[in-house]
């Protein structure tokens, strides 16, 4: 099996955003900004987190606004002076702050050609068109279209060559809700259907909804003001599962849906928890993408490719969880497992187009050594954990530089070592799940196996404690293992079939002594190792 080697381009690069667009700072005076939840603020001058994930020392001239923003939390404030507008852009572009949609914080009117709305309300917008791809599921489409009624949005439905009986019902639903209908001759997958719908629209902004999504009232109008930042190329609301029953799959999906990117807002960049957005519910700026926007050679993962290419071109993509849409849950265990496996098959194609981004884990040798020595039954071996921690602390201190507090270096040491153990466990649960399950089977006989098993199970147990499902711990953890193994099976299958070993090959980092202080560290940051 050989590596893919280089990127596989399918078309021209996405257009670049305007350089230093005039009046961008005024956006921060109109739209309330909030401190991004999940970003730590240490010693009143240092942030840990953001997107990209960094340790950042806020310049002194920006500190007054940063502290005021942090104190306001999610209530939101606007920048009132030129100095505050400069500070606001500094924080926005690092994912330390995020703009609030209409109806959150102070509230603003919908700007531009999209009409107007008062604080806390939303009106229709006339510069956004919606595209809905559908194959067979006419009943879901009817619910989706009904949720859009009265929102003042033009809608295009793309029937991806459904069978005759389903096609007739789709045609009837589109007509009943005043939607334009495009019928494809051959089935090309959701990406191809979305691209056909995109070509049939003319509005400056195009929203994509899957047929199994029900939209919240005014969702597009609430997001529209955030596009007044001319560097924003796409926005995605939170997509939560629609729970209608009490099956095990529904109760699991309630807190572990693959389409739910979580409660924390984020710029969408590689290497952070929100490293992509599901195109099940998203709005893109037409001028930020090519036509077609989606890679016609991809049936799965085409949305990940779109947002990564958009970011590479220089556009800002934002995840806005204050706005929530809902998607339908498939309740059969077979459908659940097959869908997770299908997501995993996209890894090989994405790795060929974006080399190095689908590496399943990149742990440091320091973290691996820490797990190994702590799992040893000999006391003198376990004592080696102290020099490993001291060396890692000295490295972090050197990387950050003396202008950062010692407390931050200590915290980064802990984060770095914890992250290494986390990603080793993540690898063994998902992409190397056959090995991981063998380790679990060996725990009664091996102390090392028990140490590795702790790394494997830490994340699922922590998630269940912090966000408990209504299933109970045993069923919840069992479904989590099935979830991870199904995804990993898809990764392994396509890695072999398409000869892309990089998606199942971890890269161990050697913690060399840094030559000079860098002022920032990404070593303990999250990695985008899954899609």
């Amino acid at each position: 099996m050989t590596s893919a080697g280089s990127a596989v381009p399918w078309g021209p690069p996405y257009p670049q955003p305007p350089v230093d667009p005039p009046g961008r700072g005024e956006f921060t005076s109109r739209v309330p900004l909030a401190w991004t939840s999940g970003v730590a603020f240490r010693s009143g001058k240092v942030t840990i987190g953001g997107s990209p994930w960094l340790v950042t020392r806020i310049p002194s001239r920006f500190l007054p606004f940063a502290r005021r923003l942090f104190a306001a939390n999610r209530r939101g404030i606007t920048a009132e002076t030129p100095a505050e507008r400069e500070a606001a852009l500094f924080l926005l572009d690092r994912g330390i702050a995020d703009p609030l949609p209409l109806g959150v914080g102070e509230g603003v009117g919908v700007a531009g050609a999209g009409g107007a709305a008062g604080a806390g309300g939303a009106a229709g917008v006339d510069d956004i068109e919606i595209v809905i791809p559908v194959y067979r599921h006419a009943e879901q489409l009817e619910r989706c279209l009904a949720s859009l009624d009265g929102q003042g949005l033009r809608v295009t439905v793309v029937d991806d060559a459904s069978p005759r009986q389903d096609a007739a019902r789709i045609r009837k639903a589109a007509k009943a809700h005043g939607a334009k209908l495009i019928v494809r001759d051959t089935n090309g997958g959701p990406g191809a259907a979305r691209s056909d719908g995109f070509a049939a629209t003319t509005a400056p902004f195009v929203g994509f909804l899957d047929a199994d999504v029900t939209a919240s009232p005014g969702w597009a109008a609430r997001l529209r003001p955030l596009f007044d930042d001319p560097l924003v190329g796409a926005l995605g609301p939170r997509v939560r599962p629609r729970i209608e029953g009490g099956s095990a799959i529904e109760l699991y999906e309630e807190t572990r849906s693959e389409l739910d990117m979580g409660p924390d807002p984020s710029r969408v960049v590689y290497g952070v928890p929100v490293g992509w957005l599901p195109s099940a519910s998203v709005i893109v700026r037409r001028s930020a993408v090519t036509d077609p926007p989606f890679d016609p050679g991809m049936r799965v993962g085409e949305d990940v490719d779109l947002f990564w290419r958009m970011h590479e071109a220089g556009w800002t993509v934002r995840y806005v969880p204050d706005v929530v849409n809902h998607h339908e849950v498939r309740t059969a265990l077979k459908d659940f497992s097959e869908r997770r496996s299908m997501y995993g098959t996209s890894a090989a194609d994405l790795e060929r187009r974006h080399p190095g981004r689908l590496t399943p884990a990149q742990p440091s040798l320091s973290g691996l050594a820490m797990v190994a020595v702590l799992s040893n039954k000999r006391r003198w071996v376990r004592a080696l954990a102290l020099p490993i921690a001291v060396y890692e602390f000295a490295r972090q201190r050197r990387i950050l530089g003396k202008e950062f507090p010692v407390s931050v270096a200590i915290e980064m040491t802990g984060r770095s070592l914890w992250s290494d153990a986390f990603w080793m466990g993540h690898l063994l649960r998902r992409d190397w799940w056959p090995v991981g399950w063998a380790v679990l089977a060996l725990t009664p006989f091996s102390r090392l196996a028990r140490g590795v098993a702790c790394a494997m199970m830490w994340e699922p147990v922590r998630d269940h404690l912090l966000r408990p499902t209504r299933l109970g711990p045993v069923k919840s953890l069992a479904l989590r293992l099935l979830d991870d193994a199904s995804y990993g099976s898809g990764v392994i299958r396509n890695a072999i079939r398409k000869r892309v070993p990089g998606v199942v090959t971890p890269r161990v980092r050697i913690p060399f002594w840094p030559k000079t202080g860098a002022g920032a560290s990404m070593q303990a940051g999250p990695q985008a190792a899954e899609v």
Side-chain angles (χ1 to χ4, degrees):
M1 185 162 49
T2 59
S3 175
S6 57
V8 180
W10 64 267
Y14 284 168
Q16 294 183 345
V19 179
D20 296 326
R24 185 179 177 227
E26 277 66 38
F27 166 79
T28 65
S29 297
R30 297 193 305 271
V31 174
L33 311 180
W35 188 271
T36 299
S37 53
V39 176
F41 197 29
R42 301 292 186 244
S43 303
K45 60 183 177 181
V46 175
T47 61
I48 302 176
S51 46
W53 202 100
L54 291 169
V55 179
T56 304
R57 190 177 187 278
I58 306 294
S60 58
R61 68 184 186 278
F62 298 155
L63 281 176
F65 182 77
R67 289 167 179 165
R68 191 161 72 92
L69 189 72
F70 180 75
N73 197 9
R74 299 300 296 170
R75 294 192 302 274
I77 62 173
T78 54
E80 299 174 354
T81 67
E84 288 191 341
R85 287 194 286 271
E86 185 183 3
L89 292 178
F90 176 90
L91 299 173
L92 277 175
D93 292 342
R94 286 158 179 79
I96 299 168
D98 62 279
L100 294 176
L102 186 66
V104 179
E106 296 176 356
V108 293
V110 177
V125 287
D126 59 13
D127 58 356
I128 299 177
E129 294 184 63
I130 305 298
V131 172
I132 306 173
V134 61
Y135 177 70
R136 299 191 66 174
H137 299 290
E139 183 178 351
Q140 295 176 347
L141 174 67
E142 289 166 354
R143 284 196 293 266
C144 179
L145 290 172
S147 71
L148 293 171
D149 286 345
Q151 296 200 32
L153 298 165
R154 289 172 286 170
V155 179
T156 297
V157 173
V158 183
D159 180 354
D160 195 16
S162 297
R164 182 175 301 175
Q165 184 175 353
D166 297 297
R169 188 171 175 182
I170 289 170
R171 186 181 303 108
K172 182 178 179 180
K175 182 178 181 180
H177 293 275
K180 179 180 179 181
L181 177 65
I182 297 174
V183 180
R184 289 177 51 86
D185 294 330
T186 58
N187 182 272
R194 292 188 198 103
S195 291
D196 282 1
F198 180 88
T201 62
T202 58
F205 304 98
V206 180
F208 298 106
L209 286 180
D210 280 1
D212 65 350
V213 169
T214 51
S216 61
W219 72 283
R222 294 184 64 199
L223 291 173
R224 174 60 183 85
L226 276 58
F227 277 112
D228 287 349
D229 180 349
L231 299 189
V232 170
L235 297 167
R238 188 176 184 181
V239 183
R240 302 211 64 189
R242 186 173 63 248
I243 306 301
E244 298 178 334
S247 69
I249 300 298
E250 284 182 291
L251 298 183
Y252 176 80
E253 291 269 21
E254 193 172 26
T255 58
R256 289 295 304 168
S257 170
E258 286 286 302
L259 299 184
D260 185 356
M261 308 307 288
D264 295 326
S266 177
R267 288 178 69 240
V268 179
V269 300
Y270 166 76
V272 303
V274 187
W276 60 283
L277 291 177
S279 52
S281 183
V282 73
I283 303 175
V284 303
R285 186 188 297 266
R286 180 180 295 277
S287 60
V289 296
T290 54
D291 188 0
F294 294 96
D295 185 339
M298 298 184 72
R299 278 182 172 261
V300 184
E302 76 287 345
D303 43 9
V304 183
D305 175 69
L306 180 142
F307 296 117
W308 282 357
R309 295 181 73 214
M310 190 177 289
H311 172 69
E312 289 163 2
W315 293 98
T316 295
V317 179
R318 292 197 178 279
Y319 172 56
V320 190
D322 294 298
V323 178
V324 181
N325 289 338
H326 292 83
H327 74 94
E328 187 168 306
V329 176
R330 301 183 183 186
T331 58
L333 187 63
K334 182 174 181 289
D335 289 342
F336 169 83
S337 180
E338 288 180 348
R339 194 166 187 83
R340 294 301 203 263
S341 179
M342 179 187 69
Y343 291 151
T345 62
S346 67
D349 286 332
L350 287 168
E351 174 67 14
R352 294 173 68 183
R353 289 160 174 78
H354 306 273
R357 289 196 173 183
L358 272 295
T359 301
Q362 301 182 43
S364 164
L365 194 59
S366 293
L368 297 180
M370 183 68 79
V371 172
V373 300
L374 290 178
S375 301
N376 196 284
K377 62 183 179 181
R378 296 178 178 85
R379 182 177 299 178
W380 70 267
V381 175
R382 295 199 299 273
L384 294 176
L386 180 60
I388 293 173
V390 170
Y391 177 76
E392 188 60 29
F393 166 74
R395 285 186 70 251
Q396 293 293 339
R397 185 75 170 140
R398 175 81 169 177
I399 291 170
L400 292 169
K402 293 183 178 180
E403 66 271 20
F404 284 79
V406 173
S407 59
V408 172
I410 293 174
E411 180 174 349
M412 288 303 300
T413 301
R415 285 176 178 260
S416 178
L417 294 173
W418 173 85
S419 178
D420 292 335
F422 170 89
W423 283 107
M424 181 180 68
H426 187 275
L427 173 72
L428 291 173
R429 283 197 328 274
R430 284 175 83 91
D431 309 275
W432 283 22
W433 70 267
V435 177
W437 285 24
V439 168
L440 293 178
L442 290 173
T443 53
F445 315 105
S446 167
R447 183 184 177 105
L448 178 60
R450 289 193 290 273
V452 174
C454 287
M456 285 180 60
M457 299 307 296
W458 164 251
E459 183 192 9
V461 171
R462 180 204 62 180
D463 285 353
H464 181 76
L465 292 175
L466 295 178
R467 297 181 299 159
T469 68
R470 290 186 283 158
L471 272 176
V474 176
K475 288 184 179 179
S476 178
L477 293 176
L479 278 175
R480 179 64 181 272
L481 288 176
L482 176 63
D483 185 343
D484 289 337
S486 298
Y487 176 90
S489 296
V491 174
I492 295 168
R493 183 169 66 250
N494 251 16
I496 296 172
R497 187 168 70 87
K498 298 195 174 185
R499 299 182 180 180
V500 185
V503 297
V504 291
T505 306
R507 181 173 68 86
V508 177
R509 295 178 289 108
I510 300 176
F512 291 113
W513 184 254
K515 293 182 179 180
T516 58
S521 172
M522 294 183 66
Q523 291 183 330
Q527 302 171 29
E530 61 188 79
V531 293

